[in-house]
Amino acid sequence: MHLRYGLNPHQRATAEPIGRPPFRMINGEPSMINLLDASNGWQLVAEARARLGRPVTASIKHVAPAGAAAAGPVDDVIMDSWPIEDAPTPVLSAYLRARDADPRSSYGDLVAVSDSVDLDLARFLGGVISDGIVAPGYEPGAVELLRRKKRGRFLIMEADPAAAHPAEELRQIGGLMITQQTDHDELTADLLPAQLDPGDRDTALLAMITARHTPSNTVVAARDGAAIGVAAGQQSRVDCTRLAVGKASAWWFRRHPTTRSVAGPPGTRRQDRLNLRLALATGDPTPLESGQLLDELGDRLPTAADRAAWLAGLDRVIMVHDGAIPFRDNVDHAARIGTTMIIEPGGSTAADTVEQACTEHGIALIRTGRRLFLH
């Protein structure tokens, strides 16, 4: 497989299959990053599809999911954000929910889809900024629609569900060749309490699988079968928790009536409007954005008390850590977004303190004994 380049344009690269290729190129010429995104994204959605029994999609950026979701209800905020007139198909609903987790990060993503791409999803992708897609199949006409993107350079890959994942992974680092077993341990409902509500069970499984396919340190906040805050690659676990909490808070505050009313200056493009709403939702606008929001909203700008009152309405959040929680501050931050369940491997020297913090906040603590590191 010819690659445009490796991680950077000045690095030449090639890709050769080991055994049966996991996917084939239908259109476009990938870089190494595109292949890494496609591989990680496809593994995520295929595993989640097998566990949840319904379509799953992921929005991948730099080998990490900006969002991941199963097919399900699409709320008015999502419908208002995009030019959607009819009720979305299951595959499209899954992608809308995945992209909604962090629409700013999903700009220019690689889309991973567990099921065949239908015409509705293909048409939708034709109107947003995205770099490529990987899926096990495409309904008649979908590929033709997608080929038109990026002046014919849109990456279209067809995954092979029958391709066996290698039993071992090889990585050459400097003068070392490292071999390890591929992480094939299954993440199933057996790791969760038997009495768990089916909806919470599916959300927990999706969050765990998303964490497994996100570079560590990883914290995933999820609700109603969709990730609403994915934090990746942080050196400090509490920083990772704060990032996931911040993303989930912004996701929720985008549903505030004032945020939804933001239109931006005349002529504002859809993505710029989304970014302006996100600036308001995060509470950290740039000076330019602050001026635009002040001009439009005036005394309707939300106060700190408004934000706190609205955030108090967020509930039923499930948070997954890929590694053991080292200090209770992670739990205290999680409690700010209505977290009702935290899932972690366990084994920290502060395990008792973490458990006590969960009890104080009324958060169920589940310890799976399963670490999910990815590097």
Side-chain angles (χ1 to χ4, degrees):
M1 182 184 297
H2 179 69
L3 303 184
R4 282 186 296 146
Y5 49 77
L7 296 180
N8 298 292
H10 62 270
Q11 294 175 277
R12 288 181 293 179
T14 60
E16 297 181 11
I18 302 174
R20 185 168 176 168
F23 43 77
R24 69 182 183 93
M25 294 301 305
I26 295 178
N27 190 71
E29 191 176 55
S31 70
M32 180 175 172
I33 294 176
N34 297 141
L35 292 188
L36 293 174
D37 286 349
S39 176
N40 200 38
W42 168 244
Q43 291 178 63
L44 190 165
V45 299
E47 182 178 358
R49 177 65 161 94
R51 294 289 167 263
L52 274 59
R54 50 185 163 139
V56 177
T57 71
S59 174
I60 307 294
K61 284 290 292 289
H62 291 281
V63 203
V74 174
D75 67 15
D76 290 342
V77 172
I78 297 176
M79 295 294 285
D80 292 344
S81 298
W82 309 103
I84 306 167
E85 297 179 358
D86 301 321
T89 61
V91 169
L92 177 56
S93 77
Y95 181 63
L96 291 170
R97 284 154 54 86
R99 191 166 180 124
D100 185 61
D102 187 355
R104 180 162 50 196
S105 295
S106 288
Y107 187 86
D109 63 348
L110 190 138
V111 182
V113 187
S114 66
D115 292 51
S116 290
V117 175
D118 60 20
L119 291 176
D120 283 11
L121 177 56
R123 290 192 190 98
F124 176 81
L125 290 175
V128 299
I129 302 300
S130 181
D131 285 351
I133 188 168
V134 59
Y138 297 84
E139 293 186 2
V143 169
E144 286 68 23
L145 287 172
L146 293 170
R147 281 187 200 273
R148 301 172 188 171
K149 286 185 62 64
K150 300 188 68 176
R151 299 178 182 176
R153 293 181 287 108
F154 186 72
L155 302 173
I156 306 174
M157 290 166 266
E158 184 177 36
D160 182 357
H165 206 56
E168 294 183 335
E169 297 174 334
L170 305 177
R171 187 177 300 187
Q172 185 174 338
I173 304 174
L176 295 176
M177 180 67 78
I178 300 175
T179 304
Q180 74 161 353
Q181 287 182 320
T182 304
D183 186 2
H184 283 311
D185 284 354
E186 294 186 342
L187 299 177
T188 68
D190 293 339
L191 297 170
L192 303 170
Q195 70 274 18
L196 201 61
D197 174 87
D200 288 343
R201 179 200 62 211
D202 284 358
T203 299
L205 286 172
L206 177 77
M208 291 167 66
I209 292 167
T210 301
R212 166 185 257 173
H213 296 285
T214 304
S216 301
N217 279 320
T218 298
V219 174
V220 177
R223 186 176 188 265
D224 291 336
I228 61 172
V230 180
Q234 301 300 304
Q235 295 84 356
S236 163
R237 182 156 298 278
V238 72
D239 283 348
C240 201
T241 299
R242 291 171 61 206
L243 181 57
V245 165
K247 288 189 174 188
S249 299
W251 175 87
W252 183 245
F253 205 76
R254 283 174 50 226
R255 280 140 180 85
H256 190 283
T258 302
T259 309
R260 293 181 59 183
S261 74
V262 171
T268 298
R269 298 180 304 171
R270 181 177 60 229
Q271 185 64 43
D272 292 330
R273 183 179 301 111
L274 272 171
N275 290 343
L276 189 58
R277 290 176 179 177
L278 270 167
L280 178 61
T282 60
D284 188 27
T286 65
L288 175 61
E289 291 168 335
S290 292
Q292 292 173 337
L293 291 169
L294 181 60
D295 288 343
E296 181 172 351
L297 299 177
D299 59 7
R300 292 195 298 123
L301 276 171
T303 65
D306 294 333
R307 291 179 176 276
W310 185 260
L311 188 58
L314 179 56
D315 61 0
R316 298 183 295 107
V317 174
I318 294 176
M319 183 171 286
V320 170
H321 286 252
D322 64 340
I325 300 176
F327 302 105
R328 71 162 288 159
D329 51 2
N330 289 271
V331 180
D332 294 332
H333 283 294
R336 294 165 45 206
I337 56 169
T339 299
T340 55
M341 181 185 301
I342 291 177
I343 301 172
E344 61 142 346
S348 164
T349 55
D352 291 344
T353 305
V354 169
E355 186 172 355
Q356 179 182 347
C358 286
T359 299
E360 292 174 10
H361 290 295
I363 297 173
L365 179 62
I366 298 174
R367 288 175 168 146
T368 64
R370 190 75 55 85
R371 198 170 79 173
L372 303 172
F373 278 3
L374 176 68
H375 289 280

